[in-house]
mmCIF file of all heavy atoms in Angstrom:
data_model
loop_
_atom_site.group_PDB
_atom_site.id
_atom_site.type_symbol
_atom_site.label_atom_id
_atom_site.label_comp_id
_atom_site.label_asym_id
_atom_site.label_seq_id
_atom_site.Cartn_x
_atom_site.Cartn_y
_atom_site.Cartn_z
ATOM 1 N N LEU A 176 -6.628 -8.685 -0.259
ATOM 2 C CA LEU A 176 -6.709 -7.550 -1.187
ATOM 3 C C LEU A 176 -5.442 -7.460 -2.032
ATOM 4 O O LEU A 176 -4.343 -7.772 -1.570
ATOM 5 C CB LEU A 176 -6.871 -6.234 -0.416
ATOM 6 C CG LEU A 176 -8.097 -6.079 0.491
ATOM 7 C CD1 LEU A 176 -8.073 -4.708 1.157
ATOM 8 C CD2 LEU A 176 -9.392 -6.263 -0.294
ATOM 9 N N SER A 177 -5.605 -6.989 -3.264
ATOM 10 C CA SER A 177 -4.418 -6.717 -4.078
ATOM 11 C C SER A 177 -3.709 -5.504 -3.472
ATOM 12 O O SER A 177 -4.332 -4.703 -2.762
ATOM 13 C CB SER A 177 -4.821 -6.411 -5.524
ATOM 14 O OG SER A 177 -5.460 -5.137 -5.572
ATOM 15 N N PRO A 178 -2.408 -5.332 -3.750
ATOM 16 C CA PRO A 178 -1.695 -4.166 -3.221
ATOM 17 C C PRO A 178 -2.387 -2.847 -3.572
ATOM 18 O O PRO A 178 -2.520 -1.960 -2.727
ATOM 19 C CB PRO A 178 -0.316 -4.276 -3.876
ATOM 20 C CG PRO A 178 -0.131 -5.734 -4.131
ATOM 21 C CD PRO A 178 -1.489 -6.251 -4.471
ATOM 22 N N GLU A 179 -2.862 -2.735 -4.829
ATOM 23 C CA GLU A 179 -3.526 -1.492 -5.275
ATOM 24 C C GLU A 179 -4.819 -1.255 -4.501
ATOM 25 O O GLU A 179 -5.093 -0.128 -4.083
ATOM 26 C CB GLU A 179 -3.841 -1.558 -6.788
ATOM 27 C CG GLU A 179 -2.637 -1.605 -7.690
ATOM 28 C CD GLU A 179 -2.061 -3.015 -7.848
ATOM 29 O OE1 GLU A 179 -2.593 -3.983 -7.224
ATOM 30 O OE2 GLU A 179 -1.060 -3.149 -8.561
ATOM 31 N N THR A 180 -5.596 -2.323 -4.312
ATOM 32 C CA THR A 180 -6.882 -2.176 -3.599
ATOM 33 C C THR A 180 -6.645 -1.775 -2.148
ATOM 34 O O THR A 180 -7.365 -0.941 -1.594
ATOM 35 C CB THR A 180 -7.691 -3.491 -3.671
ATOM 36 O OG1 THR A 180 -7.856 -3.843 -5.041
ATOM 37 C CG2 THR A 180 -9.056 -3.335 -3.023
ATOM 38 N N PHE A 181 -5.624 -2.362 -1.517
ATOM 39 C CA PHE A 181 -5.303 -2.008 -0.137
ATOM 40 C C PHE A 181 -4.988 -0.516 -0.029
ATOM 41 O O PHE A 181 -5.504 0.181 0.849
ATOM 42 C CB PHE A 181 -4.112 -2.836 0.362
ATOM 43 C CG PHE A 181 -3.597 -2.399 1.712
ATOM 44 C CD1 PHE A 181 -4.384 -2.520 2.853
ATOM 45 C CD2 PHE A 181 -2.325 -1.852 1.841
ATOM 46 C CE1 PHE A 181 -3.916 -2.103 4.106
ATOM 47 C CE2 PHE A 181 -1.847 -1.438 3.074
ATOM 48 C CZ PHE A 181 -2.641 -1.562 4.210
ATOM 49 N N VAL A 182 -4.162 -0.007 -0.937
ATOM 50 C CA VAL A 182 -3.797 1.422 -0.899
ATOM 51 C C VAL A 182 -5.019 2.292 -1.174
ATOM 52 O O VAL A 182 -5.290 3.244 -0.430
ATOM 53 C CB VAL A 182 -2.653 1.723 -1.902
ATOM 54 C CG1 VAL A 182 -2.415 3.230 -2.005
ATOM 55 C CG2 VAL A 182 -1.368 1.017 -1.472
ATOM 56 N N ASP A 183 -5.773 1.942 -2.220
ATOM 57 C CA ASP A 183 -6.887 2.813 -2.631
ATOM 58 C C ASP A 183 -8.086 2.747 -1.685
ATOM 59 O O ASP A 183 -8.635 3.778 -1.290
ATOM 60 C CB ASP A 183 -7.341 2.457 -4.054
ATOM 61 C CG ASP A 183 -6.303 2.864 -5.097
ATOM 62 O OD1 ASP A 183 -5.540 3.819 -4.828
ATOM 63 O OD2 ASP A 183 -6.242 2.231 -6.165
ATOM 64 N N GLU A 184 -8.491 1.524 -1.327
ATOM 65 C CA GLU A 184 -9.723 1.370 -0.543
ATOM 66 C C GLU A 184 -9.516 1.586 0.956
ATOM 67 O O GLU A 184 -10.367 2.164 1.630
ATOM 68 C CB GLU A 184 -10.327 -0.030 -0.784
ATOM 69 C CG GLU A 184 -10.841 -0.244 -2.187
ATOM 70 C CD GLU A 184 -11.956 0.727 -2.564
ATOM 71 O OE1 GLU A 184 -12.863 0.948 -1.740
ATOM 72 O OE2 GLU A 184 -11.900 1.276 -3.685
ATOM 73 N N ILE A 185 -8.400 1.105 1.465
ATOM 74 C CA ILE A 185 -8.177 1.199 2.919
ATOM 75 C C ILE A 185 -7.427 2.488 3.268
ATOM 76 O O ILE A 185 -7.927 3.329 4.026
ATOM 77 C CB ILE A 185 -7.409 -0.038 3.451
ATOM 78 C CG1 ILE A 185 -8.139 -1.340 3.079
ATOM 79 C CG2 ILE A 185 -7.210 0.075 4.966
ATOM 80 C CD1 ILE A 185 -9.508 -1.545 3.702
ATOM 81 N N LEU A 186 -6.250 2.659 2.709
ATOM 82 C CA LEU A 186 -5.409 3.793 3.126
ATOM 83 C C LEU A 186 -5.967 5.127 2.651
ATOM 84 O O LEU A 186 -6.071 6.080 3.428
ATOM 85 C CB LEU A 186 -3.971 3.602 2.622
ATOM 86 C CG LEU A 186 -3.260 2.336 3.121
ATOM 87 C CD1 LEU A 186 -1.834 2.275 2.596
ATOM 88 C CD2 LEU A 186 -3.254 2.292 4.651
ATOM 89 N N VAL A 187 -6.344 5.213 1.364
ATOM 90 C CA VAL A 187 -6.795 6.505 0.822
ATOM 91 C C VAL A 187 -8.258 6.771 1.171
ATOM 92 O O VAL A 187 -8.593 7.785 1.775
ATOM 93 C CB VAL A 187 -6.571 6.564 -0.711
ATOM 94 C CG1 VAL A 187 -7.152 7.864 -1.282
ATOM 95 C CG2 VAL A 187 -5.086 6.468 -1.035
ATOM 96 N N LYS A 188 -9.132 5.820 0.808
ATOM 97 C CA LYS A 188 -10.575 6.052 0.971
ATOM 98 C C LYS A 188 -10.984 6.087 2.445
ATOM 99 O O LYS A 188 -11.699 6.978 2.897
ATOM 100 C CB LYS A 188 -11.348 4.956 0.239
ATOM 101 C CG LYS A 188 -12.674 5.400 -0.351
ATOM 102 C CD LYS A 188 -13.162 4.283 -1.247
ATOM 103 C CE LYS A 188 -14.505 4.583 -1.865
ATOM 104 N NZ LYS A 188 -14.887 3.476 -2.780
ATOM 105 N N ARG A 189 -10.510 5.091 3.213
ATOM 106 C CA ARG A 189 -10.957 4.995 4.609
ATOM 107 C C ARG A 189 -10.231 5.978 5.521
ATOM 108 O O ARG A 189 -10.844 6.596 6.379
ATOM 109 C CB ARG A 189 -10.758 3.573 5.133
ATOM 110 C CG ARG A 189 -11.319 3.395 6.546
ATOM 111 C CD ARG A 189 -11.173 1.982 7.060
ATOM 112 N NE ARG A 189 -11.883 1.025 6.248
ATOM 113 C CZ ARG A 189 -11.934 -0.289 6.519
ATOM 114 N NH1 ARG A 189 -11.307 -0.756 7.582
ATOM 115 N NH2 ARG A 189 -12.585 -1.122 5.741
ATOM 116 N N TYR A 190 -8.930 6.118 5.323
ATOM 117 C CA TYR A 190 -8.146 6.913 6.293
ATOM 118 C C TYR A 190 -7.615 8.234 5.737
ATOM 119 O O TYR A 190 -6.975 8.994 6.465
ATOM 120 C CB TYR A 190 -6.976 6.075 6.832
ATOM 121 C CG TYR A 190 -7.443 4.864 7.598
ATOM 122 C CD1 TYR A 190 -7.164 3.572 7.133
ATOM 123 C CD2 TYR A 190 -8.202 4.990 8.768
ATOM 124 C CE1 TYR A 190 -7.608 2.455 7.828
ATOM 125 C CE2 TYR A 190 -8.643 3.879 9.449
ATOM 126 C CZ TYR A 190 -8.347 2.610 8.982
ATOM 127 O OH TYR A 190 -8.796 1.510 9.668
ATOM 128 N N ASN A 191 -7.872 8.501 4.450
ATOM 129 C CA ASN A 191 -7.411 9.758 3.833
ATOM 130 C C ASN A 191 -5.904 9.944 4.018
ATOM 131 O O ASN A 191 -5.415 11.009 4.398
ATOM 132 C CB ASN A 191 -8.176 10.956 4.426
ATOM 133 C CG ASN A 191 -7.965 12.233 3.621
ATOM 134 O OD1 ASN A 191 -7.581 12.179 2.449
ATOM 135 N ND2 ASN A 191 -8.189 13.373 4.241
ATOM 136 N N ALA A 192 -5.156 8.859 3.754
ATOM 137 C CA ALA A 192 -3.700 8.888 3.945
ATOM 138 C C ALA A 192 -3.016 9.805 2.946
ATOM 139 O O ALA A 192 -3.214 9.692 1.745
ATOM 140 C CB ALA A 192 -3.144 7.479 3.819
ATOM 141 N N LYS A 193 -2.224 10.733 3.463
ATOM 142 C CA LYS A 193 -1.404 11.631 2.621
ATOM 143 C C LYS A 193 0.074 11.338 2.826
ATOM 144 O O LYS A 193 0.921 11.798 2.069
ATOM 145 C CB LYS A 193 -1.673 13.098 2.990
ATOM 146 C CG LYS A 193 -3.121 13.543 2.825
ATOM 147 C CD LYS A 193 -3.522 13.617 1.382
ATOM 148 C CE LYS A 193 -4.934 14.207 1.234
ATOM 149 N NZ LYS A 193 -5.446 14.080 -0.132
ATOM 150 N N SER A 194 0.382 10.621 3.910
ATOM 151 C CA SER A 194 1.764 10.276 4.221
ATOM 152 C C SER A 194 1.779 8.907 4.895
ATOM 153 O O SER A 194 0.917 8.617 5.729
ATOM 154 C CB SER A 194 2.360 11.341 5.151
ATOM 155 O OG SER A 194 3.641 10.967 5.584
ATOM 156 N N LEU A 195 2.738 8.062 4.511
ATOM 157 C CA LEU A 195 2.856 6.724 5.083
ATOM 158 C C LEU A 195 4.269 6.505 5.597
ATOM 159 O O LEU A 195 5.205 7.143 5.129
ATOM 160 C CB LEU A 195 2.573 5.649 4.016
ATOM 161 C CG LEU A 195 1.236 5.672 3.289
ATOM 162 C CD1 LEU A 195 1.216 4.598 2.207
ATOM 163 C CD2 LEU A 195 0.078 5.457 4.255
ATOM 164 N N ALA A 196 4.393 5.577 6.531
ATOM 165 C CA ALA A 196 5.719 5.101 6.934
ATOM 166 C C ALA A 196 5.620 3.598 7.150
ATOM 167 O O ALA A 196 4.595 3.088 7.608
ATOM 168 C CB ALA A 196 6.191 5.782 8.210
ATOM 169 N N CYS A 197 6.685 2.882 6.769
ATOM 170 C CA CYS A 197 6.742 1.447 7.001
ATOM 171 C C CYS A 197 8.202 1.053 7.192
ATOM 172 O O CYS A 197 9.112 1.843 6.927
ATOM 173 C CB CYS A 197 6.123 0.665 5.829
ATOM 174 S SG CYS A 197 7.071 0.793 4.296
ATOM 175 N N GLY A 198 8.424 -0.152 7.668
ATOM 176 C CA GLY A 198 9.779 -0.655 7.827
ATOM 177 C C GLY A 198 10.332 -1.169 6.508
ATOM 178 O O GLY A 198 9.571 -1.449 5.571
ATOM 179 N N PHE A 199 11.636 -1.335 6.448
ATOM 180 C CA PHE A 199 12.319 -1.799 5.232
ATOM 181 C C PHE A 199 11.823 -3.167 4.764
ATOM 182 O O PHE A 199 11.856 -3.497 3.579
ATOM 183 C CB PHE A 199 13.838 -1.875 5.498
ATOM 184 C CG PHE A 199 14.230 -2.966 6.452
ATOM 185 C CD1 PHE A 199 14.771 -4.154 5.996
ATOM 186 C CD2 PHE A 199 14.014 -2.829 7.831
ATOM 187 C CE1 PHE A 199 15.103 -5.176 6.879
ATOM 188 C CE2 PHE A 199 14.349 -3.843 8.716
ATOM 189 C CZ PHE A 199 14.897 -5.023 8.240
ATOM 190 N N ASN A 200 11.318 -3.988 5.711
ATOM 191 C CA ASN A 200 10.897 -5.358 5.373
ATOM 192 C C ASN A 200 9.375 -5.508 5.339
ATOM 193 O O ASN A 200 8.851 -6.611 5.421
ATOM 194 C CB ASN A 200 11.502 -6.351 6.376
ATOM 195 C CG ASN A 200 11.145 -6.004 7.823
ATOM 196 O OD1 ASN A 200 10.520 -4.966 8.082
ATOM 197 N ND2 ASN A 200 11.529 -6.852 8.760
ATOM 198 N N TYR A 201 8.657 -4.399 5.198
ATOM 199 C CA TYR A 201 7.185 -4.430 5.187
ATOM 200 C C TYR A 201 6.684 -5.171 3.955
ATOM 201 O O TYR A 201 7.179 -4.981 2.849
ATOM 202 C CB TYR A 201 6.651 -2.988 5.186
ATOM 203 C CG TYR A 201 5.140 -2.892 5.132
ATOM 204 C CD1 TYR A 201 4.355 -3.325 6.189
ATOM 205 C CD2 TYR A 201 4.493 -2.360 4.001
ATOM 206 C CE1 TYR A 201 2.976 -3.234 6.147
ATOM 207 C CE2 TYR A 201 3.112 -2.260 3.949
ATOM 208 C CZ TYR A 201 2.357 -2.706 5.022
ATOM 209 O OH TYR A 201 0.990 -2.619 4.977
ATOM 210 N N ARG A 202 5.676 -6.023 4.158
ATOM 211 C CA ARG A 202 5.037 -6.715 3.036
ATOM 212 C C ARG A 202 3.523 -6.587 3.182
ATOM 213 O O ARG A 202 2.996 -6.512 4.294
ATOM 214 C CB ARG A 202 5.438 -8.189 2.999
ATOM 215 C CG ARG A 202 6.945 -8.402 2.835
ATOM 216 C CD ARG A 202 7.278 -9.775 2.314
ATOM 217 N NE ARG A 202 6.912 -9.942 0.916
ATOM 218 C CZ ARG A 202 7.721 -9.657 -0.120
ATOM 219 N NH1 ARG A 202 8.919 -9.179 0.089
ATOM 220 N NH2 ARG A 202 7.310 -9.852 -1.352
ATOM 221 N N PHE A 203 2.833 -6.567 2.046
ATOM 222 C CA PHE A 203 1.380 -6.397 2.079
ATOM 223 C C PHE A 203 0.787 -6.980 0.799
ATOM 224 O O PHE A 203 1.506 -7.446 -0.088
ATOM 225 C CB PHE A 203 1.022 -4.914 2.229
ATOM 226 C CG PHE A 203 1.378 -4.052 1.041
ATOM 227 C CD1 PHE A 203 0.388 -3.521 0.210
ATOM 228 C CD2 PHE A 203 2.704 -3.759 0.730
ATOM 229 C CE1 PHE A 203 0.711 -2.736 -0.885
ATOM 230 C CE2 PHE A 203 3.040 -2.971 -0.358
ATOM 231 C CZ PHE A 203 2.036 -2.450 -1.171
ATOM 232 N N GLY A 204 -0.557 -6.941 0.714
ATOM 233 C CA GLY A 204 -1.240 -7.529 -0.437
ATOM 234 C C GLY A 204 -1.405 -9.022 -0.270
ATOM 235 O O GLY A 204 -0.807 -9.650 0.615
ATOM 236 N N LYS A 205 -2.231 -9.619 -1.130
ATOM 237 C CA LYS A 205 -2.532 -11.048 -1.038
ATOM 238 C C LYS A 205 -1.244 -11.876 -1.056
ATOM 239 O O LYS A 205 -0.364 -11.643 -1.872
ATOM 240 C CB LYS A 205 -3.438 -11.467 -2.201
ATOM 241 C CG LYS A 205 -3.989 -12.863 -2.036
ATOM 242 C CD LYS A 205 -5.068 -13.181 -3.032
ATOM 243 C CE LYS A 205 -5.596 -14.585 -2.766
ATOM 244 N NZ LYS A 205 -6.714 -14.931 -3.624
ATOM 245 N N ASN A 206 -1.143 -12.828 -0.123
ATOM 246 C CA ASN A 206 0.043 -13.683 0.033
ATOM 247 C C ASN A 206 1.323 -12.871 0.254
ATOM 248 O O ASN A 206 2.418 -13.304 -0.119
ATOM 249 C CB ASN A 206 0.224 -14.611 -1.181
ATOM 250 C CG ASN A 206 -0.971 -15.534 -1.369
ATOM 251 O OD1 ASN A 206 -1.551 -16.000 -0.394
ATOM 252 N ND2 ASN A 206 -1.343 -15.766 -2.612
ATOM 253 N N ALA A 207 1.177 -11.680 0.854
ATOM 254 C CA ALA A 207 2.332 -10.794 1.115
ATOM 255 C C ALA A 207 3.161 -10.597 -0.153
ATOM 256 O O ALA A 207 4.389 -10.625 -0.136
ATOM 257 C CB ALA A 207 3.187 -11.359 2.251
ATOM 258 N N SER A 208 2.441 -10.389 -1.274
ATOM 259 C CA SER A 208 3.098 -10.354 -2.585
ATOM 260 C C SER A 208 3.871 -9.060 -2.849
ATOM 261 O O SER A 208 4.769 -9.033 -3.685
ATOM 262 C CB SER A 208 2.040 -10.530 -3.685
ATOM 263 O OG SER A 208 1.049 -9.512 -3.551
ATOM 264 N N ALA A 209 3.545 -7.978 -2.144
ATOM 265 C CA ALA A 209 4.184 -6.682 -2.414
ATOM 266 C C ALA A 209 5.090 -6.276 -1.257
ATOM 267 O O ALA A 209 4.845 -6.615 -0.108
ATOM 268 C CB ALA A 209 3.118 -5.618 -2.659
ATOM 269 N N ASP A 210 6.148 -5.519 -1.592
ATOM 270 C CA ASP A 210 7.092 -5.068 -0.566
ATOM 271 C C ASP A 210 7.145 -3.544 -0.496
ATOM 272 O O ASP A 210 6.347 -2.850 -1.153
ATOM 273 C CB ASP A 210 8.484 -5.648 -0.834
ATOM 274 C CG ASP A 210 9.033 -5.241 -2.210
ATOM 275 O OD1 ASP A 210 8.428 -4.352 -2.865
ATOM 276 O OD2 ASP A 210 10.064 -5.806 -2.625
ATOM 277 N N ALA A 211 8.080 -3.024 0.286
ATOM 278 C CA ALA A 211 8.181 -1.566 0.481
ATOM 279 C C ALA A 211 8.460 -0.843 -0.833
ATOM 280 O O ALA A 211 7.960 0.264 -1.066
ATOM 281 C CB ALA A 211 9.276 -1.256 1.500
ATOM 282 N N LYS A 212 9.222 -1.482 -1.727
ATOM 283 C CA LYS A 212 9.543 -0.879 -3.029
ATOM 284 C C LYS A 212 8.265 -0.690 -3.856
ATOM 285 O O LYS A 212 8.048 0.343 -4.483
ATOM 286 C CB LYS A 212 10.527 -1.779 -3.771
ATOM 287 C CG LYS A 212 11.471 -1.018 -4.693
ATOM 288 C CD LYS A 212 12.586 -1.916 -5.209
ATOM 289 C CE LYS A 212 13.818 -1.801 -4.337
ATOM 290 N NZ LYS A 212 14.957 -2.544 -4.870
ATOM 291 N N GLU A 213 7.414 -1.717 -3.826
ATOM 292 C CA GLU A 213 6.133 -1.666 -4.538
ATOM 293 C C GLU A 213 5.244 -0.571 -3.933
ATOM 294 O O GLU A 213 4.562 0.169 -4.656
ATOM 295 C CB GLU A 213 5.445 -3.031 -4.434
ATOM 296 C CG GLU A 213 4.030 -3.096 -4.985
ATOM 297 C CD GLU A 213 3.958 -3.117 -6.507
ATOM 298 O OE1 GLU A 213 4.996 -3.152 -7.171
ATOM 299 O OE2 GLU A 213 2.821 -3.068 -7.015
ATOM 300 N N LEU A 214 5.268 -0.452 -2.602
ATOM 301 C CA LEU A 214 4.468 0.583 -1.944
ATOM 302 C C LEU A 214 4.958 1.982 -2.349
ATOM 303 O O LEU A 214 4.153 2.891 -2.568
ATOM 304 C CB LEU A 214 4.526 0.416 -0.425
ATOM 305 C CG LEU A 214 3.647 1.361 0.403
ATOM 306 C CD1 LEU A 214 2.175 1.230 0.030
ATOM 307 C CD2 LEU A 214 3.821 1.108 1.900
ATOM 308 N N MET A 215 6.269 2.148 -2.465
ATOM 309 C CA MET A 215 6.824 3.434 -2.901
ATOM 310 C C MET A 215 6.314 3.796 -4.298
ATOM 311 O O MET A 215 5.960 4.944 -4.576
ATOM 312 C CB MET A 215 8.358 3.376 -2.904
ATOM 313 C CG MET A 215 8.959 3.379 -1.507
ATOM 314 S SD MET A 215 10.729 2.999 -1.516
ATOM 315 C CE MET A 215 11.385 4.605 -1.972
ATOM 316 N N LYS A 216 6.249 2.799 -5.181
ATOM 317 C CA LYS A 216 5.771 3.010 -6.561
ATOM 318 C C LYS A 216 4.298 3.429 -6.547
ATOM 319 O O LYS A 216 3.896 4.399 -7.198
ATOM 320 C CB LYS A 216 5.969 1.706 -7.346
ATOM 321 C CG LYS A 216 5.536 1.753 -8.804
ATOM 322 C CD LYS A 216 5.941 0.438 -9.486
ATOM 323 C CE LYS A 216 5.078 0.131 -10.694
ATOM 324 N NZ LYS A 216 3.693 -0.239 -10.373
ATOM 325 N N LEU A 217 3.473 2.695 -5.759
ATOM 326 C CA LEU A 217 2.043 3.017 -5.686
ATOM 327 C C LEU A 217 1.824 4.413 -5.100
ATOM 328 O O LEU A 217 0.926 5.146 -5.518
ATOM 329 C CB LEU A 217 1.313 1.966 -4.840
ATOM 330 C CG LEU A 217 1.251 0.548 -5.432
ATOM 331 C CD1 LEU A 217 0.703 -0.436 -4.408
ATOM 332 C CD2 LEU A 217 0.404 0.527 -6.701
ATOM 333 N N CYS A 218 2.653 4.779 -4.119
ATOM 334 C CA CYS A 218 2.540 6.103 -3.493
ATOM 335 C C CYS A 218 2.927 7.205 -4.471
ATOM 336 O O CYS A 218 2.281 8.260 -4.521
ATOM 337 C CB CYS A 218 3.421 6.182 -2.251
ATOM 338 S SG CYS A 218 2.729 5.287 -0.851
ATOM 339 N N ALA A 219 3.971 6.967 -5.248
ATOM 340 C CA ALA A 219 4.419 7.970 -6.233
ATOM 341 C C ALA A 219 3.305 8.248 -7.241
ATOM 342 O O ALA A 219 3.040 9.412 -7.592
ATOM 343 C CB ALA A 219 5.679 7.477 -6.944
ATOM 344 N N GLU A 220 2.615 7.183 -7.668
ATOM 345 C CA GLU A 220 1.517 7.340 -8.644
ATOM 346 C C GLU A 220 0.344 8.124 -8.050
ATOM 347 O O GLU A 220 -0.412 8.771 -8.766
ATOM 348 C CB GLU A 220 1.023 5.958 -9.095
ATOM 349 C CG GLU A 220 2.017 5.206 -9.980
ATOM 350 C CD GLU A 220 1.687 3.722 -10.074
ATOM 351 O OE1 GLU A 220 0.660 3.282 -9.505
ATOM 352 O OE2 GLU A 220 2.472 2.990 -10.723
ATOM 353 N N ARG A 221 0.201 8.060 -6.733
ATOM 354 C CA ARG A 221 -0.954 8.707 -6.075
ATOM 355 C C ARG A 221 -0.558 9.977 -5.312
ATOM 356 O O ARG A 221 -1.367 10.537 -4.583
ATOM 357 C CB ARG A 221 -1.607 7.700 -5.119
ATOM 358 C CG ARG A 221 -2.316 6.565 -5.858
ATOM 359 C CD ARG A 221 -2.416 5.305 -5.009
ATOM 360 N NE ARG A 221 -3.110 4.238 -5.708
ATOM 361 C CZ ARG A 221 -2.551 3.477 -6.651
ATOM 362 N NH1 ARG A 221 -1.292 3.675 -7.002
ATOM 363 N NH2 ARG A 221 -3.258 2.526 -7.240
#
């Protein structure tokens, strides 16, 4: 999944996430392309 799809489809749609926590070295998205900084940006937008 793309980083955006993971946040929107899994975290928001499936789990109704309003708050997240991850480690400083967390990576996600296809080929671990996104990091904690990217997740912070996606969270700020949502």
Side-chain angles (χ1 to χ4, degrees):
L176 300 180
S177 71
E179 295 83 359
T180 304
F181 172 65
V182 172
D183 290 333
E184 293 299 316
I185 305 295
L186 300 182
V187 175
K188 213 169 178 177
R189 185 178 299 182
Y190 297 116
N191 193 20
K193 301 290 186 190
S194 174
L195 303 175
C197 67
F199 69 102
N200 56 355
Y201 178 67
R202 300 201 71 89
F203 67 109
K205 190 169 182 176
N206 300 323
S208 57
D210 59 11
K212 211 170 266 186
E213 173 75 4
L214 185 58
M215 287 169 80
K216 181 174 155 290
L217 293 171
C218 285
E220 290 164 3
R221 290 155 179 78

